[in-house]
C-alpha cells in the first residue's frame, strides 16, 4: 500500500500516525508540506530514519524544490509526478490529512 | 488503469488542487483513465465561476475547465457540500457539474485506485 | 471471478474503509464524513469505519452542542447498525492517549491494535480519509 | 471598548465563524462596540449569498446578515481574497461589503482589541 | 496578554507553541478543539499541568460541553462566552492557529 | 499623550506585530499574510514580523516553485526593507529544530529567544496571526 502525507511533521501528527498504521514494507510518499520531514539535519531526522527502516520513503521532487529542501535524510528517494503515478499503479493508496 | 480522484480543499487556500491537477496530468500522460474528479468539503469551491484569480499566478479554475470541458473528464462537486458553501448551478465553471454523494460511491467502486487530495 | 464467489448482497461487494481522523465540530471533516458513510452504506458494499487519532473523539456519547449553536450529530452513529454497518474499529493507542474507554462511546466498537488496523486497510478496495 | 474581529475560515467547514458570532453577541451584551468584522483567507466565504444551508442546522449567513444589516456592524470581506475564491459584488449577503486590506489596517489601529478567529 | 488556542494538542503543535511564547502570568483560553487539552486523564495532562504552573488556563464551557469533556485537569477554570469577553477586556489577545 | 511624544512618521504610530507560523505553499496563510504586511506597511505604523514554528520555512531563499505550478513569492520579502519594515524576528528554537541557519534566509533577520519574542508581543497594540 502507498501512504501519502502532505503536512509538516513539526506542526501536525499526520506522518507519525501514518507511520504507525503503515505495514512494514509499504510505501510512504511525502508531498506538499510533508516534504519538510525529509530535510536532513532537522529535529525530525531521527524519527524519519526509523520510518525509513520500516517503509520505502519517497519525497515529491517538485515540492522539495518549491520549499528549498535540498539535502535529504539518507534513504529517502525522490520522485517526479510521473513517479507518483507509478507508485499509485503499484498499489492502493491512502491519504493522511 | 482507472483512477478516481477526490479533492477536499479549496483552490489557492491549499495546495491540494494544484497537486491533484499535476497528478492527473501525469496519470493521463501515462495512459490512465480518470473516471471522475469528485469535490467534497471545501473542495467544491474549485468549480466556482465567479473567481478572478491574479493574472500573474496560475488559474486553478481554468485548469479544471481544461480537464472537464476540453479533455472530457467528469468533474463533480458534491451537492450537499456545495449548498452549505454557496456553490450553485449557473455559477459553476464549464465542464463541471453538481451532483450527489452517489457519484463518489460509484467511482470508489468502479475505479482501480481512489486517491484523495486534501 | 464466478458468480458463485459473490456473497452478502449477492453482488460484487467491494471493501471500502473510511478512516476518520478528525475531531468533531472544530472542522466539518467528521460530520461530512459521516454523511458520506450513510450514502455509501445504501449501496450495500462491505464497509468498515476506522476511528484513529482525534477521530476517536467523534464517538464520545456525552456531546451537547446546544451552547455552541451547532447541530449535533452524535446520535446519527446509532443508525449505522440499521444499515448493516457494524465493522466499527477504534485504534487502542489513540483512544487511551486521549483518556477514553469503550464505555465512553455512543455505539459498540472493536478496539484494535495499529497492526490490526494496518491489515484491515491493506484488504480494502478503497480507503477514504475524513 | 472598541473591538475589531478578523475571521480566517469559511462557514461550516470550520467552527471559527460560529465562535466569532458567539463572541460578538457576548461582547455586544457587555456594551462593547464592534468597529468591524474583517474576513480574510477562506473567511471571505462567509458573505456568499448563494448558499442554502440545511434547515435543521444553524444558518451562518443569516447570522452575519443579522449583525451587518440589522445591528449595523461593518462587515467587510477582503477584495483580493474574494477574487481568488469567487466572492463577488452582487452575490454577497445583505449588510456586508467587499473592500481592501486597508480596512483591516484601519481597524487594527483604531480598535482597543483585535481578535482573530481561524 | 490573553492567548487563545483552538486546535487539539494531539494533532497540532499550536498549544505547545503558545505555551512557549506566553509570558509567565498571562492567560491562555482553550476554545473549539483546543479544549481537548483540558481533558483529565489524557496523555497531554502532564504537559498541561506545566502550562497551568506558568499561566492561568481557561476553557470555554460551550466547547467543553459540545465535546463531552467533563472532568478537567486540575487548575483549569471554565468560562462562558461572557467570560471570554471579560478576558479580552482585561488584556490584548493573540490567537494561535 | 502630547504631540511631542510622537515620533517616526510624526503621527500616532501603533505597534503591530505579524506572527507568521505557517509554511509556504501548502496553505495560503504565508502568502496572503505577506500581502497584508505590504498593505499595512504603507500606513507607516511600527511593524514587527515574527517568524515562529513552520513560519520560519517561508524565509528560505532557495525556493523554486516552477515545478509545482504556483507563483513563488520569496523575493517579495526583499521589498520589506524599502517600506522600512526591518524588525524581522526569527524564533531560535523553531529555526534550529528545522535545521535552518540565518544564512538560509532571503533577508537579514534577528534571531530571538522565546522569552524575547514573548516580550515583543506584550508591547504591541495588536498582533495578527497568519
Amino acid at each position: 500500500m502507498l501512504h501519502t502525507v502532505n503536512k509538516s511533521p513539526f506542526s501536525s501528527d499526520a506522518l507519525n500516525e501514518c507511520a504507525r498504521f503503515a505495514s512494514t514494507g509499504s510505501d510512504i510518499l511525502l508531498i506538499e508540506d510533508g516534504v519538510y520531514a525529509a530535510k536532513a539535519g532537522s529535529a525530525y531526522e531521527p524519527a524519519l530514519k526509523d520510518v525509513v527502516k520500516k517503509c520505502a520513503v519517497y519525497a515529491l521532487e517538485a515540492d522539495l524544490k518549491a520549499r528549498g529542501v535540498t539535502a535529504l535524510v539518507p534513504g529517502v528517494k525522490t520522485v517526479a509526478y510521473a513517479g507518483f503515478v507509478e507508485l499509485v499503479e503499484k498499489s492502493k493508496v491512502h491519504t493522511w490529512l | 488503469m482507472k483512477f478516481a480522484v477526490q479533492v477536499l480543499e479549496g483552490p489557492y487556500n491549499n495546495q491540494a488542487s494544484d497537486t491533484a491537477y499535476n497528478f492527473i496530468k501525469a496519470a493521463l500522460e501515462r495512459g490512465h483513465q480518470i473516471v471522475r474528479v469528485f469535490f467534497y468539503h471545501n473542495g467544491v469551491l474549485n468549480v466556482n465561476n465567479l473567481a478572478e484569480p491574479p493574472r500573474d499566478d496560475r488559474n486553478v479554475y481554468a485548469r479544471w475547465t481544461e480537464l472537464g470541458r476540453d479533455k472530457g473528464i467528469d468533474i463533480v462537486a458534491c451537492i450537499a457540500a456545495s449548498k452549505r458553501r454557496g456553490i450553485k448551478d449557473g455559477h459553476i465553471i464549464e465542464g463541471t457539474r453538481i451532483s450527489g454523494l452517489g457519484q463518489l460511491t460509484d467511482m470508489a467502486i468502479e475505479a482501480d485506485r481512489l486517491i484523495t487530495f486534501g | 471471478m464466478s458468480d458463485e464467489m459473490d456473497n452478502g448482497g449477492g453482488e460484487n461487494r467491494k471493501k471500502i474503509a473510511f478512516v476518520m481522523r478528525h475531531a468533531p465540530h472544530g472542522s466539518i471533516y467528521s460530520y461530512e464524513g459521516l454523511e458520506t458513510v450513510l450514502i455509501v452504506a445504501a449501496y450495500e458494499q462491505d464497509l468498515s469505519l476506522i476511528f484513529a487519532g482525534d477521530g476517536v473523539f467523534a464517538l464520545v456519547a456525552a456531546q451537547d452542542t446546544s451552547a455552541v449553536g451547532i447541530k449535533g450529530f452524535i446520535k446519527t452513529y446509532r443508525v449505522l447498525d440499521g444499515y448493516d454497518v457494524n465493522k466499527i474499529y477504534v485504534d487502542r493507542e489513540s483512544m487511551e492517549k486521549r483518556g477514553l474507554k469503550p464505555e465512553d462511546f455512543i455505539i459498540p466498537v472493536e478496539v484494535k491494535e495499529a497492526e490490526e488496523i494496518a491489515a484491515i486497510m491493506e484488504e480494502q478496495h478503497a480507503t477514504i480519509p475524513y
Side-chain angles (χ1 to χ4, degrees), chain A, chain B, chain C:
Chain A
M1 192 162 193
L2 169 67
H3 301 265
T4 71
V5 175
N6 75 339
K7 301 285 188 299
S8 160
F10 302 104
S11 52
S12 159
D13 70 336
L15 180 50
N16 291 339
E17 290 281 283
C18 165
R20 219 155 58 73
F21 293 107
S23 303
T24 303
S26 56
D27 296 327
I28 295 177
L29 172 63
L30 307 170
I31 65 171
E32 302 176 1
D33 290 347
V35 302
Y36 287 122
K39 187 176 187 302
S42 90
Y44 197 77
E45 178 159 355
L48 195 73
K49 280 182 170 161
D50 286 340
V51 180
V52 167
K53 281 177 203 153
K54 182 184 178 188
C55 298
V57 179
Y58 301 86
L60 195 58
E61 233 163 50
D63 283 317
L64 290 166
K65 275 189 192 161
R67 288 159 181 82
V69 178
T70 43
L72 301 187
V73 172
V76 176
K77 290 165 278 262
T78 64
V79 288
Y81 288 106
F84 184 175
V85 174
E86 283 180 68
L87 289 170
V88 176
E89 290 166 9
K90 197 179 126 195
S91 57
K92 303 281 184 186
V93 51
H94 185 72
T95 302
W96 297 85
L97 299 172
Chain B
M1 296 178 94
K2 290 182 182 178
F3 286 6
V5 175
Q6 184 182 214
V7 178
L8 301 181
E9 293 283 2
Y12 301 101
N13 206 77
N14 293 78
Q15 202 187 336
S17 302
D18 302 290
T19 307
Y21 174 80
N22 287 325
F23 176 84
I24 290 168
K25 293 281 278 186
L28 292 173
E29 271 169 36
R30 286 185 58 82
H32 298 293
Q33 184 196 341
I34 306 294
V35 298
R36 182 168 297 137
V37 176
F38 191 83
F39 292 123
Y40 198 40
H41 299 335
N42 270 352
V44 300
L45 303 170
N46 281 280
V47 303
N48 189 332
N49 83 344
L50 298 168
E52 301 167 41
R55 294 191 179 185
D56 60 351
D57 198 356
R58 83 284 195 199
N59 185 328
V60 177
Y61 306 96
R63 289 174 173 178
W64 295 122
T65 306
E66 171 208 331
L67 294 181
R69 187 192 62 191
D70 305 342
K71 298 221 193 291
I73 293 174
D74 189 22
I75 301 187
V76 178
C78 168
I79 188 163
S82 291
K83 281 190 170 183
R84 273 193 195 97
R85 292 166 180 84
I87 303 300
K88 201 172 186 171
D89 269 328
H91 300 288
I92 62 173
I93 57 175
E94 275 186 82
T96 66
R97 62 193 180 97
I98 297 178
S99 187
L101 284 160
Q103 302 287 312
L104 170 64
T105 317
D106 284 338
M107 80 177 195
I109 294 170
E110 190 195 337
D112 301 305
R113 297 286 184 273
L114 170 65
I115 178 163
T116 300
F117 296 93
Chain C
M1 202 184 294
S2 74
D3 285 340
E4 282 75 25
M5 289 186 68
D6 294 335
N7 49 24
E11 316 147 47
N12 269 305
R13 295 170 84 225
K14 299 272 174 137
K15 280 178 175 290
I16 299 177
F18 293 87
V19 183
M20 318 294 261
R21 259 182 27 85
H22 288 82
H25 316 310
S27 72
I28 205 166
Y29 279 71
S30 176
Y31 178 67
E32 286 192 333
L34 181 57
E35 278 193 335
T36 308
V37 171
L38 295 176
I39 299 292
V40 180
Y43 283 67
E44 299 186 343
Q45 304 298 307
D46 182 1
L47 300 193
S48 300
L49 264 63
I50 297 165
F51 292 85
D54 282 340
V56 301
F57 284 132
L59 296 174
V60 171
Q63 298 180 48
D64 172 5
T65 56
S66 53
V68 291
I70 292 178
K71 182 189 153 195
F73 57 99
I74 184 63
K75 287 180 181 159
T76 309
Y77 289 99
R78 289 199 184 132
V79 311
L80 290 172
D81 193 51
Y83 282 98
D84 287 325
V85 177
N86 38 41
K87 293 177 179 169
I88 315 280
Y89 306 119
V90 165
D91 170 53
R92 179 186 303 280
E93 185 174 320
S94 299
M95 179 184 78
E96 292 180 348
K97 204 172 160 186
R98 288 161 182 80
L100 294 171
K101 302 175 300 293
E103 306 87 83
D104 294 322
F105 300 143
I106 188 85
I107 49 171
V109 303
E110 292 178 55
V111 177
K112 297 277 186 192
E113 306 303 323
E115 306 74 48
E116 295 177 283
I117 289 175
I120 292 165
M121 288 180 69
E122 294 279 354
E123 292 171 353
Q124 305 297 315
H125 172 67
T127 60
I128 304 183
Y130 287 131

